[in-house]
Amino acid sequence: MTTETPDRQTLDSGVRIVWGVGSLVGAVVLAGIAGAVGFATVERILRPAGVTFLVAAVLGVVYTLARYRAWWYAVEADSLHLSRGVLTYVHTVVPFVRVQHVDVSRGPLERALGLSSVVVYTAGSRGADVTIPGLTPERADRLQQRLKRLAIAAEGEDAV
Amino acid sequence: MPSKLDPLSVPYRVGVSLSRFGWLLVVGTVSAGTQRLPLLVGLFGVVLLATLAYQVAYVRRFSYELTADTFDVYSGVFSRRSREIPYHRIQNVDVTRNVVQRALGIAELAIETAGGGETEATLQYLDADTADELRAALSRRKRGETEDGATEQTAREREALFSITTRELLLLGVVGLDLRLLSFVAVTLPVVLPSVSEATPLFDLFRVAPFLLAGLAVLALAASMVQAVVSYYGFELHREGDELGYRRGLAKEYSGTIPLDKVQSVVLTENMLARRLGYASVAIETAGYSPSGDSAGSQSAVPLAERDHAYALAQEVEAFGDPTFDRPPKRARTRYAVRYALAVLVVTGVATAAVRLVEFTSPVPTATLLAGLVLVPVAAHLRWANLGYAVEEDHFVARAGFWSRRTQVVPFYRTQTIAEQATIFQRRRDLASVVVDTAGTHGWSAPSAPDIDARRASDLRETLEARLQAALRARRDTVESAVQRIDSDTSGEVDSDTPDDRGGHDHGDERPPE
């Protein structure tokens, strides 16, 4: 196996929309709760709901952008590296020998935006699967094939 | 030629399923009164017949077979299922017998593999001797021996490793007491009791409290001792080739095998009391289900042994040497102090709010809870002092916990994923944690080196990754040389020196030597 240079891959920028929509939905839910609470306590809905929505939405957008900037993955010589996280930074190493199978999954929003996720499963018992979101379908398929080949080449003869 | 279950399984299985419906019957009788008794008897008869018919069919249609490479199980009354379990994928094999089963002379045999959380195959029930023989046969097949030819190739001397003494058994009861529960009771009683005795002046509970507490402690101790005796009576552990075997239990008897080449991690547990007394327990984690599928917490391989002995036994399974632990830097301790102080403040706040809400006049102002702040530095120090990690020649060792100190030993070879993580609070102090995931299935937290210096965490992550690859290469080399040896052996005889092809069995099946 040739030693590859550990090149950091970033996600497709479209994933920001997926995440952004997610946090906007969260903001709407929060606004709903705030509105209900506002109605119950001071009989006002719009003010608390609006303020909550604005704050949550701004925070959500900022978080989404930071999350996108923080995310990278690298297919190295022996293992897959993933690094992500805004508040809690996590760097995960998945050795190819330990890969059980690799899925490509596409949620409804991802499909609408032409994106895919690659999910890598190991036999581990805590956090056994890692997901790489925000890949174009071709890129996801390529990554899946590549990981599959690498996992086979690594001869996971005794994966557990 | 497939084998069948023991015919005595039928009455036992009928009994079990009827006892499950028993409550329905009781409810029915009570609610229906006496007029409809004939109807009830009739209904019961139908249920009994249906159960009997189903269980007869189940037992008759259940069969198993030891083939050349797999253990096959055919089961199912309405929908048939045939399951083939490759021998080299088998993890633990356990035989259990409860009191009734022992009277009937039958036993349950369970086979675990790494897939899923569930038992792969359960044979309910076999003749007790057949069960033991089947387990031995499965062990032989797993080692790659065949039934007819070279049965006695590897000298399978049975080496006794440990058997529990009465003293240890009783100590297990003492040590098994949940100290946290007792201390919680000890703290809450004086706070709660005065107000209760105010409300009911009949008893001066405040004066009774010490006795109450003592009585409770004695009761808990007795219960814990009985539990220890019942589940670990006659515990013994032995080594047979590359497997460990255990046997234990008073009323319900457990016995089983733990394959040494499938061990994911070894965990030494010493709670505060055990540390004082110089005792420790050892648990062996495999990727199958827990070795003795009991309630969590009693799944130890060795429930309690003198510390040195426990370490020696753990070394027998994984030779991890004598680790010198690295502690997190002192600034981690500050972090715990802050965390505990916040917890005390929150508890005080909640208590105050609760007291206000229910208009309950507590005898002492809730603010006295703030006295807990005094304990914060002590608690933080104890947590910090018990943390540690060590990178040994072949193992990663992590230790944590004051109340119950756990030392987890993971061979590099068993690493699944490695994660380096840092929350914002950790980054503020330039700290990070490294978590090593294995395929073990216990509910314990993964072995980790928490709150170590951020740069060292990165180094540790890289080291662990490199060590895994090195272990894999080493394993591959021994396997290849073993395969070559077999290849050069044209007569086709199986090589007889087993020690260095521990992994060879696993590998050989997937890439048969051509």
Side-chain angles (χ1 to χ4, degrees):
Chain A
M1 203 184 304
T2 52
T3 318
E4 286 161 88
T5 47
D7 49 341
R8 295 182 175 191
Q9 310 273 334
T10 50
L11 306 182
D12 200 272
S13 57
V15 76
R16 284 180 296 190
I17 300 173
V18 179
W19 291 339
V21 169
S23 43
L24 285 186
V25 169
V28 167
V29 171
L30 274 182
I33 294 170
V37 170
F39 182 72
T41 51
V42 290
E43 301 216 342
R44 297 182 81 156
I45 301 176
L46 280 182
R47 192 74 156 296
V51 170
T52 310
F53 177 79
L54 271 182
V55 172
V58 168
L59 283 180
V61 168
V62 170
Y63 179 75
T64 297
L65 294 179
R67 191 175 168 195
Y68 174 74
R69 285 178 60 137
W71 235 111
W72 60 262
Y73 70 91
V75 182
E76 293 191 4
D78 298 315
S79 43
L80 172 69
H81 287 239
L82 299 98
S83 178
R84 68 240 184 252
V86 179
L87 294 179
T88 299
Y89 151 86
V90 185
H91 183 136
T92 310
V93 182
V94 186
F96 297 135
V97 244
R98 294 297 181 236
V99 172
Q100 296 279 324
H101 58 275
V102 186
D103 282 359
V104 171
S105 79
R106 306 187 71 189
L109 191 59
E110 283 182 309
R111 263 206 303 272
L113 292 162
L115 289 173
S116 291
S117 300
V118 168
V119 191
V120 181
Y121 294 85
T122 67
S125 45
R126 304 124 186 136
D129 46 310
V130 288
T131 307
I132 306 174
L135 302 171
T136 56
E138 305 82 58
R139 199 167 154 212
D141 286 339
R142 262 205 322 275
L143 184 61
Q144 184 191 27
Q145 293 304 319
R146 187 164 170 211
L147 288 175
K148 194 183 77 187
R149 271 200 317 277
L150 287 167
I152 293 169
E155 282 188 60
E157 79 277 353
D158 192 7
V160 285
Chain B
M1 176 62 202
S3 316
K4 295 277 182 195
L5 297 177
D6 192 278
L8 276 176
S9 318
V10 177
Y12 185 79
R13 289 184 61 96
V14 169
V16 168
S17 40
L18 279 189
S19 66
R20 264 180 216 151
F21 288 112
W23 62 272
L24 247 178
L25 208 70
V26 173
V27 169
T29 328
V30 169
S31 61
T34 41
Q35 303 105 316
R36 295 195 203 137
L37 206 61
L39 183 74
L40 267 177
V41 171
L43 209 65
F44 179 70
V46 171
V47 170
L48 181 68
L49 273 180
T51 317
L52 191 66
Y54 179 81
Q55 298 302 354
V56 167
Y58 179 88
V59 169
R60 282 182 64 101
R61 285 173 73 80
F62 194 106
S63 64
Y64 61 91
E65 190 175 4
L66 289 152
T67 69
D69 307 312
T70 56
F71 181 66
D72 298 356
V73 179
Y74 307 96
S75 64
V77 175
F78 298 112
S79 62
R80 296 285 291 164
R81 182 170 75 179
S82 68
R83 177 169 270 179
E84 299 182 1
I85 307 170
Y87 292 126
H88 66 275
R89 285 285 179 238
I90 292 177
Q91 302 258 347
N92 300 38
V93 181
D94 293 294
V95 176
T96 50
R97 304 198 292 158
N98 63 24
V99 184
V100 183
Q101 290 163 358
R102 278 162 80 174
L104 289 170
I106 55 178
E108 177 181 327
L109 184 134
I111 296 172
E112 312 285 353
T113 67
E118 272 177 39
T119 305
E120 209 63 27
T122 317
L123 308 188
Q124 290 169 319
Y125 298 86
L126 297 170
D127 176 72
D129 293 333
T130 317
D132 284 337
E133 275 163 29
L134 180 57
R135 190 180 57 207
L138 285 171
S139 297
R140 281 198 299 275
R141 304 283 175 127
K142 247 190 311 186
R143 281 196 292 271
E145 296 168 22
T146 48
E147 209 55 34
D148 35 288
T151 326
E152 290 309 311
Q153 256 198 5
T154 41
R156 289 188 299 109
E157 76 277 21
R158 214 174 139 111
E159 182 195 351
L161 291 179
F162 177 76
S163 60
I164 201 162
T165 60
T166 317
R167 190 184 137 81
E168 281 164 339
L169 198 57
L170 292 176
L171 262 177
L172 178 62
V174 179
V175 167
L177 254 187
D178 204 327
L179 287 169
R180 273 169 298 185
L181 193 74
L182 266 186
S183 59
F184 176 73
V185 172
V187 167
T188 45
L189 268 187
V191 176
V192 175
L193 275 179
S195 52
V196 179
S197 55
E198 247 169 57
T200 52
L202 276 178
F203 301 100
D204 192 353
L205 275 170
F206 195 38
R207 217 170 284 167
V208 183
F211 299 101
L212 207 71
L213 196 67
L216 214 69
V218 169
L219 212 70
L221 190 65
S224 169
M225 277 185 165
V226 169
Q227 212 243 328
V229 170
V230 167
S231 40
Y232 286 107
Y233 175 80
F235 181 92
E236 61 98 12
L237 186 77
H238 58 262
R239 187 180 182 144
E240 221 177 309
D242 52 4
E243 278 183 334
L244 291 182
Y246 69 88
R247 188 175 288 276
R248 66 178 178 89
L250 185 63
K252 189 169 182 180
E253 200 182 84
Y254 301 82
S255 60
T257 53
I258 307 164
L260 284 177
D261 56 348
K262 303 275 187 197
V263 170
Q264 297 286 329
S265 72
V266 175
V267 185
L268 282 140
T269 314
E270 310 150 85
N271 66 18
M272 210 184 68
L273 214 60
R275 280 210 299 279
R276 255 304 138 67
L277 299 169
Y279 284 80
S281 76
V282 185
I284 298 171
E285 216 179 33
T286 60
Y289 195 44
S290 63
S292 44
D294 222 359
S295 59
S298 60
Q299 298 154 338
S300 343
V302 175
L304 194 73
E306 276 168 36
R307 198 167 180 280
D308 294 344
H309 197 174
Y311 268 83
L313 285 169
Q315 296 276 3
E316 176 94 12
V317 180
E318 289 293 343
F320 58 91
D322 187 20
T324 41
F325 290 99
D326 280 336
R327 269 190 207 160
K330 288 228 166 86
R331 54 187 191 275
R333 194 167 56 182
T334 326
R335 196 169 166 246
Y336 306 141
V338 169
R339 191 189 294 171
Y340 294 150
L342 282 176
V344 170
L345 291 180
V346 166
V347 166
T348 313
V350 169
T352 312
V355 165
R356 285 268 168 79
L357 274 179
V358 297
E359 287 169 4
F360 162 89
T361 41
S362 85
V364 279
T366 48
T368 43
L369 281 175
L370 287 177
L373 284 174
V374 178
L375 292 177
V376 162
V378 183
H381 176 74
L382 286 176
R383 177 179 158 81
W384 174 80
N386 281 292
L387 281 176
Y389 74 95
V391 177
E392 294 294 298
E393 200 173 329
D394 297 311
H395 302 87
F396 174 67
V397 188
R399 190 180 71 183
F402 163 70
W403 290 109
S404 178
R405 193 166 74 189
R406 255 191 352 238
T407 311
Q408 294 171 289
V409 182
V410 183
F412 295 130
Y413 180 67
R414 292 300 179 191
T415 312
Q416 288 284 338
T417 61
I418 304 156
E420 176 195 344
Q421 48 200 38
T423 63
I424 32 169
F425 304 111
Q426 282 180 309
R427 271 176 288 165
R428 244 171 54 91
R429 295 181 199 278
D430 198 25
L431 297 171
S433 303
V434 175
V435 183
V436 178
D437 192 14
T438 66
T441 43
H442 278 306
W444 294 325
S445 52
S448 62
D451 292 318
I452 58 176
D453 183 80
R455 262 227 313 283
R456 290 184 76 171
S458 294
D459 288 347
L460 180 61
R461 187 196 75 221
E462 279 162 23
T463 310
L464 289 174
E465 198 196 340
R467 292 292 183 94
L468 166 67
Q469 295 301 336
L472 285 166
R473 272 193 302 278
R475 181 68 72 114
R476 216 170 286 154
D477 288 346
T478 52
V479 167
E480 250 150 46
S481 62
V483 169
Q484 273 163 18
R485 258 208 320 279
I486 295 171
D487 278 346
S488 61
D489 213 348
T490 40
S491 63
E493 268 174 39
V494 183
D495 214 320
S496 60
D497 55 341
T498 33
D500 61 354
D501 57 10
R502 248 169 68 157
H505 299 306
D506 299 47
H507 191 70
D509 285 62
E510 267 153 54
R511 263 192 19 190
E514 266 110 34

